[in-house]
């Protein structure tokens, strides 16, 4: 009825209501201000301030030509700052700026209603960028403001609108939960926006040099959650999450093997069926809840062939998802927790993994030859390198001494600095191996994680980033994982990076409020597990838990309908009670007529009596026969000797008044 009432919608809301709606727009846009380009956010802020300033002037709206100029200018601005007008960033930038421009033409109730509904779309834009648990309170507050604002636009007093908004939100919650659970789901979450090429989620780079990993350690940001099948609890020291393999060294910098290459056909991985028959197989199944980094997925050494559609593997038995997209996903993988990877290597591959830049690090090459001369094979050579690290008093630190010379960094590290982080030890290990023609490569990913025993899940953070090596053991025809960091700091592998670093370097690695952090971690896990990543698999788990999984579909539909009806009852009863309590048909009808034809604050409208209202209608040629009869009837009931009629007659009069107002 309300949306179909053109006269009523032509009225302007009060300045206070417009200001509240603009404040709500600022709140809805808040998450986007942390995600979109700074220049776009600055444009939005300037336009928002200008619109607020207009509220306190006599200018109610901008002329059409000015709005067209602003529209073109903001579109051009987005194109030049984002580089395109399509895609997630550009689309949401344009949407946010278009909505604030809509506020510049906001004069009538209809304009502000449209602005309010547009903000509902903008909320979805915020969730495309950020799906952390911090978005939950933001979303609840935004919905509360939206409901309350609808009340304000309907003419309800602010405090009443706030109170009713809170009550509606609370009473609607059970119904929202039922609809969320029962809504048919796909195998993937609803959002599936492709990732921008520039973004990086895990922070792992496809190049490695001094500081690449140690800089990540300073962040406590969550990388992914893990749940092991059958509540398995692996040892921290056994969990090596491989992400990328570094194969090529150019001028001292390592580069990841390009993503278009694969050596999958040469890998000799055991089948899962075979491992399931062995009690000593060390095979584990696990679920990752993760946002892939341009298709990259961490997987425990060594990931087994995956029958799931949409996955592949690249050089070095690293797992990739074929369709990278924004948003969290749930991935189920199987791995054999072993440091060995069997592979059929041809001479071209062996040559590739022995290449080094010519002329660099001569002292390192001499050391490698000395160690090789007293070794009887590859494994003995590895042991000599590890013994060298142990006996030469190397230190594990985030702030190693560096030389200014960039060409012979390994020489300085091995013979002068004696300080480094995991990438330094892995770098030196591969240089020593390749110097004597032993194939070797660096693997980067994560090591270990934090176990939450109460809820039986692991959290792996940026501070768990790690680099280790794989050395080719020609005698056995396999790659062997060798982590040189263990030679200087075994506690890093057994208990995590915080236990391995000096006290002065641990700042920022753990929360100052561990109990609060624990609750946030648990909340984040459940938020990701059951809300953000709620898919068909989660839906089946809930139905199974409720013993509803195997019942006929028509019975399930009946159960869902009953649940919807039951959870709707509190809201329905409240709405009916509000209707009964607040219904004053004569007052509501006369106020509706006043608000439709007279501009002014509530106090001004209250002072207008029925006769004056009749005169106003007549002056504007709006007093038709129906309205005249209704006003006469109103005066007779209010001031006549017969007194007030029964409530049924009053409601009948109100219906006629609403119809008459619609026809104005």
């Amino acid at each position: 009825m309300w949306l179909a009432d053109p006269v009523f919608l032509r009225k302007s809301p009060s300045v206070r209501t417009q200001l509240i709606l603009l404040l709500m727009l600022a709140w809805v846009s808040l998450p986007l201000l942390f995600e979109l380009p700074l220049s776009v956010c600055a444009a939005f802020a300037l336009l928002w301030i200008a619109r607020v300033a207009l509220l306190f002037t006599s200018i109610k709206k901008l002329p059409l030509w000015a709005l067209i100029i602003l529209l073109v200018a903001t579109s051009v601005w987005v194109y030049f700052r984002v580089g395109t007008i399509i895609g997630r960033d550009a689309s949401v930038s344009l949407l946010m700026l278009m909505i604030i421009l809509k506020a510049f033409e906001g004069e009538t109730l209809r304009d502000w209603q449209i602005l309010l509904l547009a903000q509902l779309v903008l909320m979805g834009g915020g969730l495309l960028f950020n799906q952390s648990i911090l978005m939950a309170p933001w979303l609840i507050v935004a919905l509360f403001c939206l409901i309350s604002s609808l009340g304000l636009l309907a003419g309800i007093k602010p405090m009443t609108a706030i109170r009713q908004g809170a009550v509606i939100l609370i009473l609607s919650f059970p119904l929202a939960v039922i609809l969320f659970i029962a809504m048919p789901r796909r195998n993937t979450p609803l959002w599936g926006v492709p990732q921008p090429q520039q973004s990086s989620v895990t922070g792992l780079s496809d190049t490695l040099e001094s500081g690449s990993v140690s800089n990540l350690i300073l962040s406590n940001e969550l990388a992914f959650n893990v749940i092991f099948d059958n509540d398995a609890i692996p040892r921290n020291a056994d969990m090596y999450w491989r992400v990328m393999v570094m194969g090529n060294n150019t001028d001292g910098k390592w580069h990841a093997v390009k993503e278009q290459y694969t050596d999958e056909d040469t890998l000799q991985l055991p089948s899962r069926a075979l491992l399931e028959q062995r009690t000593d197989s060390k095979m584990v199944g696990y679920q990752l809840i993760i946002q892939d980094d341009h298709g990259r997925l961490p997987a425990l050494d060594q990931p087994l062939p995956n029958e799931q559609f949409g996955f592949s593997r690249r050089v070095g038995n690293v797992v990739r998802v074929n369709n990278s997209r924004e948003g969290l996903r749930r991935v189920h993988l199987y791995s054999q927790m072993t440091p060995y990877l069997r592979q059929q290597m041809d001479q071209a591959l062996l040559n590739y993994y022995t290449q080094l830049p010519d002329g660099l690090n001569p002292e390192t090459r001499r050391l490698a030859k000395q160690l090789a001369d007293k070794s009887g094979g590859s494994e003995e050579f590895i042991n000599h390198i590890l013994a060298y690290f142990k006996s030469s008093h190397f230190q594990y630190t985030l702030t190693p001494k560096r030389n200014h010379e960039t060409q012979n960094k390994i020489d300085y590290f091995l013979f002068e600095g004696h300080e480094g982080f995991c990438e330094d030890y892995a770098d030196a290990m591969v240089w020593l191996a390749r110097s004597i023609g032993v194939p070797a490569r660096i693997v980067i990913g994560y090591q270990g994680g934090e176990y939450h025993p109460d809820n039986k899940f692991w959290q792996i953070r940026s501070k768990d980033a790690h680099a280790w090596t794989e050395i080719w053991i020609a005698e056995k025809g396999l790659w062997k994982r060798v982590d040189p960091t263990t030679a200087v700091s075994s506690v890093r592998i057994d208990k995590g990076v915080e236990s391995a670093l000096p006290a002065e370097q641990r700042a920022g690695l753990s929360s100052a409020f561990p109990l609060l952090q624990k609750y946030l971690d648990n909340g984040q896990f459940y938020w990701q597990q059951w809300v953000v990543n709620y898919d068909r698999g989660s839906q089946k788990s809930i139905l199974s838990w409720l013993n509803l999984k195997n019942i006929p579909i028509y019975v399930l539909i009946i159960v869902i309908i009953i649940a919807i009806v039951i959870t709707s009852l509190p809201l329905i009863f409240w709405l009916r009670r509000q209707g009964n309590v607040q219904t004053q048909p004569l007052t509501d009808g006369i106020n509706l007529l006043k608000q439709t034809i007279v501009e002014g604050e509530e106090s001004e409208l209250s002072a207008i009596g029925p006769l004056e209202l009749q005169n106003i209608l007549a002056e504007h040629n709006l007093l038709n026969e129906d309205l005249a009869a209704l006003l006469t009837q109103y005066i007779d009931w209010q001031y006549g000797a017969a007194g007030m009629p029964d409530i049924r007659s009053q409601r009948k009069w109100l219906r006629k008044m609403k119809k008459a107002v619609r026809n104005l």
Side-chain angles (χ1 to χ4, degrees), residues 11 107 205 226 263 360 403 411 425 442 490 588 595 623:
K11 289 172 58 67
E107 182 181 10
S205 170
V226 184
D263 57 359
L360 299 184
N403 65 333
D411 279 0
Y425 294 99
I442 296 175
S490 59
D588 291 346
Q595 292 169 359
L623 186 63

Side-chain angles (χ1 to χ4, degrees), residues 19 34 62 89 104 116 164 229 324 336 341 355 387 390 416 427 440 456 465 488 495 501 533 537 575 578 616:
L19 179 59
F34 293 97
L62 290 184
D89 290 18
F104 276 92
L116 207 57
Q164 292 189 354
D229 295 353
S324 177
Q336 186 183 25
L341 174 63
Q355 292 176 359
K390 285 182 181 177
E416 295 185 51
D427 192 1
K456 300 178 181 177
V488 294
K495 297 183 178 180
L501 292 173
N533 206 39
L575 290 173
Q578 287 297 111
I616 294 173

Side-chain angles (χ1 to χ4, degrees), residues 389-406:
F389 284 135
K390 285 182 181 177
S391 61
S392 301
H393 307 291
F394 280 83
Q395 293 185 18
Y396 180 79
T397 175
L398 275 174
T399 56
K401 289 179 285 189
R402 306 285 188 194
N403 65 333
H404 297 296
E405 198 223 336
T406 59

Side-chain angles (χ1 to χ4, degrees), residues 587-604:
T587 304
D588 291 346
I590 208 71
N591 285 340
L592 176 63
L593 183 58
K594 290 178 184 177
Q595 292 169 359
T596 304
I597 63 171
V598 181
E599 293 279 358
E601 298 294 333
E602 185 178 351
S603 57
E604 299 173 45

